[in-house]
Amino acid sequence: MESLNCKIMKKTTVRKGYQLSQEELRKVQLTQLELICEVDRICKKHGISYNMVGGTMLGAIRHKGYIPWDDDADIGFLRNEYEKFRQACKTELDDKLYYFQDCRDTRGYRWGYGKLRRKGTEFIRLNQEFMPYEQGIAIDLMPFDNVPDNFWLKRIHMFVCFVYRKIFWSAVGRKSEKNFGKRMVYEMLYKIPEKSLFNSYQRFIDRCGKRMSEQVRILTFPTPKGVYGYRRKWYTNLRQYEFEDHNFPGAADYDGYLRIKYKSYKELPPVEKRKTHPVSKLTLLK
């Protein structure tokens, strides 16, 4: 195995991190592609519906593969499908090569969505070196939950999502936030016992699932400004798209989805905004 490690920052408030070379970035992308193929295999075998979302869907439409500077991959599921996938991983996943993480299964995991990771690799983002779980190269597995149809309930729902997101993030924010006041707020939020937090979050998920709605969203991931959720049909009405010489499902109405998510999605961003995440440690497969 080839280890490509930079010096780990001793202070998590340091903002400068290790930037991937083009060769390293491509190896990360190809490892993530392997993970997407494993998701696709399991979902086909067990009749589970999933689709490309976020930058992965944008890459499929605009580049027929990865956005050249993108170092992550996003797969979406409606909540029931996500839970089916999570259960399938317990018996189906090749545990010699891969591992699945979720806040219910992984001690210290502080995200409201899952990750599938490749064993034998490391991709540790700057300021997350202290997180107490393995951090191999990963793809994000995003469960989408119901958003209330009522306008005022939508606003309340968005606020609750914001609060949970900040509580989850507090493990990182209490060490990496520059602003002293905000750092102290994160410090207080971090003191909420994990068991209480996760039990409360699960009750919120259960409440969201009681009634079918027109829109859905990832509960602990921000939406674009003024957007409360995404149309359900973007996760049920699917077609196949080319992605890195493979074919994976995505929204049939990709234009409607990408315009809400990215607005002028066909235009490339300025060069200065084409950035990868800074990392403090990287280990790649040979």
Side-chain angles (χ1 to χ4, degrees):
M1 180 180 298
E2 180 183 7
S3 180
L4 298 167
N5 299 337
C6 72
K7 184 178 180 181
I8 298 177
M9 302 297 181
K10 294 183 179 180
K11 295 183 179 179
T12 60
T13 53
V14 176
R15 308 310 296 177
K16 291 183 179 180
Y18 174 56
Q19 296 295 329
L20 304 182
S21 70
Q22 285 300 309
E23 180 183 0
E24 291 166 346
L25 174 59
R26 188 57 181 161
K27 288 184 178 181
V28 168
Q29 291 175 342
L30 292 176
T31 301
Q32 291 171 341
L33 180 61
E34 177 188 342
L35 293 167
I36 297 173
C37 288
E38 178 68 359
V39 170
D40 184 69
R41 181 189 69 82
I42 293 173
C43 287
K44 284 179 177 175
K45 182 174 180 179
H46 292 268
I48 298 169
S49 179
Y50 80 93
N51 59 298
M52 296 180 288
V53 296
T56 305
M57 187 62 193
L58 175 59
I61 298 303
R62 199 170 65 191
H63 306 276
K64 296 188 182 300
Y66 274 96
I67 297 171
W69 54 90
D70 201 1
D71 62 1
D72 58 19
D74 305 303
I75 299 298
F77 305 79
L78 290 178
R79 172 59 68 176
N80 288 344
E81 301 300 305
Y82 176 84
E83 296 302 335
K84 291 177 187 176
F85 181 80
R86 175 173 171 261
Q87 290 302 317
C89 281
K90 294 180 180 180
T91 56
E92 187 66 35
L93 197 64
D94 185 345
D95 59 10
K96 293 180 181 178
L97 299 177
Y98 312 109
Y99 56 104
F100 175 86
Q101 292 179 330
D102 181 278
C103 62
R104 292 164 289 183
D105 307 313
T106 305
R107 178 185 166 274
Y109 186 85
R110 300 282 298 197
W111 316 112
Y113 48 88
K115 291 181 184 286
L116 185 66
R117 296 188 189 267
R118 183 60 162 88
K119 286 190 172 181
T121 69
E122 291 176 288
F123 186 90
I124 301 178
R125 290 185 178 177
L126 183 67
N127 298 321
Q128 295 185 27
E129 303 88 350
F130 53 86
M131 299 300 277
Y133 52 82
E134 290 183 80
Q135 298 182 61
I137 293 173
I139 59 174
D140 293 331
L141 306 174
M142 305 293 204
F144 284 77
D145 291 282
N146 295 322
V147 173
D149 292 322
N150 178 275
F151 174 74
W152 294 108
L153 291 179
K154 279 183 183 179
R155 294 178 68 88
I156 295 171
H157 184 269
M158 176 168 274
F159 177 72
V160 174
C161 289
F162 170 81
V163 171
Y164 275 114
R165 184 168 74 250
K166 293 302 181 183
I167 297 174
F168 277 121
W169 177 253
S170 65
V172 178
R174 72 192 185 103
K175 292 178 175 289
S176 63
E177 173 60 52
K178 286 184 175 182
N179 181 279
F180 176 79
K182 291 181 179 179
R183 197 163 64 248
M184 291 302 99
V185 171
Y186 283 131
E187 189 67 50
M188 290 187 289
L189 292 176
Y190 182 70
K191 294 183 184 300
I192 298 173
E194 279 194 354
K195 185 176 181 179
S196 298
L197 170 60
F198 296 150
N199 287 341
S200 174
Y201 183 57
Q202 186 60 52
R203 288 193 295 270
F204 181 47
I205 291 172
D206 293 342
R207 287 196 300 273
C208 292
K210 287 183 177 180
R211 180 175 296 180
M212 188 80 72
S213 62
E214 182 182 338
Q215 293 184 324
V216 295
R217 65 164 291 177
I218 309 161
L219 299 179
T220 58
F221 201 83
T223 56
K225 186 176 181 180
V227 174
Y228 293 97
Y230 305 96
R231 294 183 181 181
R232 178 179 294 276
K233 72 173 186 177
W234 292 334
Y235 307 91
T236 57
N237 187 8
L238 307 175
R239 55 163 288 198
Q240 295 288 313
Y241 295 93
E242 181 181 346
F243 187 90
E244 300 288 347
D245 296 323
H246 294 264
N247 288 293
F248 301 124
D253 177 22
Y254 71 85
D255 184 71
Y257 169 67
L258 292 176
R259 286 186 187 279
I260 290 294
K261 182 75 174 174
Y262 298 108
K263 296 184 179 179
S264 301
Y265 70 90
K266 295 180 181 179
E267 300 175 6
L268 293 176
V271 173
E272 63 271 15
K273 292 187 177 181
R274 303 176 193 177
K275 296 179 180 180
T276 59
H277 294 92
V279 299
S280 63
K281 188 174 183 181
L282 175 68
T283 302
L284 298 170
L285 297 171
K286 288 184 179 179

